[in-house]
Amino acid sequence: MSDIISIVPPLVQASIRMAVPLMLTALGAVACENSGVVNIGLEGSMLCGAFAAVVATYFSGNPWLGLLAAVSIGILLGLLYALFCVTFRANQIVIGLGVNMLGSGGTTFLLQAIFGVAGISPQVKQLPTLSIPVVRDIPLVGVIVGEHNVMVYLALCLVFLIHVLLFHTPIGLHMRAVGQQPEAADTAGIDVFRIRYLGYMLSGALAALGGAYLSIGQLNFFAINMTDGRGFIALAANVFGKWMPFGVFGATAFFGFTDALRMRLLQVNIAPQFIQMIPFVVTLLVLMGFIGGAVSPAALGKPYSKE
């Protein structure tokens, strides 16, 4: 029993760390899809954010500037996505796939062009780790939440902030109205295009933050395709969480646990190929079991035109 008790706190701590990139990216999906537009390009935005964070940190020596660079590139990708899908009414799925290919191929090319390497970038400074006085000294609890990278606490704060934005501000009311009935929202004087642009920009910024956490929070370098499908798992977490910030928090905590368990099982004498499959198998099982009960915003994925 004592062995189990000693294992649980580190496993929960690891689950929190693993959940953060999913949480940030899934919150982006929440903001985007509540305004009625789909962002399939979260994986590409994560990769671009991770790469931009490392490049800016490498040349400036300041990881906070790296974080700012990641958010900036995420917003730019969101604007590009919105230009095609909101203004030109292109297919949102196709454009998202294009963003993913841009993220994967573009970062691979730029890694070689900027650093002259083909796999992993040079190491850079990480964002700092915070240690909370008093909390860190509490048995068990201190191990779990007393000391983490600053982005872990940022992600937890953003869960509350996105909830407040969506459900306690006029902008959030407008986003949800546009996601449900854009024609009625337009009649009421809400700028549907502007709100959907905002949704894409938020989703791009948050997904890029998720990528930056991987490269300068959890690690201190960029590796090719280091997001490893997390953008797609974040989309599933958004559905599992029923397009709600706190629902996404619970869903990503669950997926983070499966990821932490996978890392733990890699130490066991089991074929690693099967262990690597765990998060994706769990994602499929969750979607098979819960997607039928999930009700998306009524206008999700439907281009809007004033004509």
Side-chain angles (χ1 to χ4, degrees):
M1 180 63 71
S2 60
D3 291 339
I4 295 175
I5 293 175
S6 65
I7 290 172
V8 170
L11 183 61
V12 176
Q13 184 194 51
S15 300
I16 294 171
R17 294 198 307 267
M18 295 296 186
V20 168
L22 299 175
M23 193 180 303
L24 289 167
T25 306
L27 285 172
V30 168
C32 186
E33 296 193 6
N34 268 284
S35 62
V37 283
V38 178
N39 188 347
I40 299 297
L42 294 174
E43 180 84 0
S45 296
M46 288 183 77
L47 278 169
C48 291
F51 184 75
V54 165
V55 171
T57 303
Y58 179 81
F59 287 107
S60 70
N62 189 334
W64 292 106
L65 290 179
L67 198 64
L68 178 62
V71 172
S72 300
I73 198 70
I75 290 173
L76 287 174
L77 283 173
L79 281 170
L80 180 65
Y81 208 135
L83 176 66
F84 282 103
C85 296
V86 177
T87 302
F88 299 139
R89 291 181 290 164
N91 186 289
Q92 296 171 20
I93 306 298
V94 173
I95 298 301
L97 293 174
V99 172
N100 288 333
M101 288 188 287
L102 174 66
S104 179
T107 55
T108 300
F109 170 76
L110 290 173
L111 182 65
Q112 175 70 44
I114 295 173
F115 297 113
V117 295
I120 298 176
S121 74
Q123 294 186 352
V124 297
K125 290 183 179 179
Q126 283 182 286
L127 288 164
T129 295
L130 291 183
S131 183
I132 305 176
V134 180
V135 175
R136 68 190 178 198
D137 299 323
I138 301 174
L140 298 181
V141 175
V143 175
I144 295 171
V145 297
E147 186 173 290
H148 281 288
N149 184 272
V150 63
M151 286 196 71
V152 174
Y153 301 111
L154 173 63
L156 295 174
C157 290
L158 281 169
V159 173
F160 289 92
L161 290 175
I162 296 298
H163 174 81
V164 170
L165 173 69
L166 284 177
F167 298 101
H168 298 283
T169 67
I171 292 177
L173 176 62
H174 292 172
M175 291 177 76
R176 290 184 290 119
V178 168
Q180 294 293 342
Q181 292 290 341
E183 294 84 0
D186 193 7
T187 302
I190 299 171
D191 190 328
V192 174
F193 290 173
R194 182 177 298 176
I195 291 297
R196 289 188 166 180
Y197 263 81
L198 175 62
Y200 271 127
M201 291 165 63
L202 275 174
S203 68
L206 288 166
L209 272 179
Y213 171 75
L214 292 173
S215 62
I216 61 172
Q218 195 174 57
L219 301 171
N220 63 344
F221 58 84
F222 176 83
I224 291 175
N225 293 326
M226 68 186 304
T227 51
D228 196 25
R230 287 179 176 86
F232 299 106
I233 296 176
L235 286 169
N238 177 42
V239 176
F240 187 21
K242 298 185 184 298
W243 292 268
M244 306 280 282
F246 289 118
V248 157
F249 170 78
T252 53
F254 172 72
F255 286 124
F257 172 76
T258 64
D259 211 9
L261 184 63
R262 172 178 66 90
M263 299 300 292
R264 195 85 180 181
L265 289 175
L266 284 172
Q267 304 171 15
V268 181
N269 189 22
I270 302 175
Q273 293 85 353
F274 291 104
I275 296 174
Q276 295 288 358
M277 290 168 55
I278 288 176
F280 303 101
V281 172
V282 170
T283 300
L284 287 173
L285 292 175
V286 165
L287 288 176
M288 288 169 61
F290 289 91
I291 198 169
V295 180
S296 66
L300 183 62
K302 300 176 182 176
Y304 177 70
S305 174
K306 286 180 175 289
E307 298 175 0

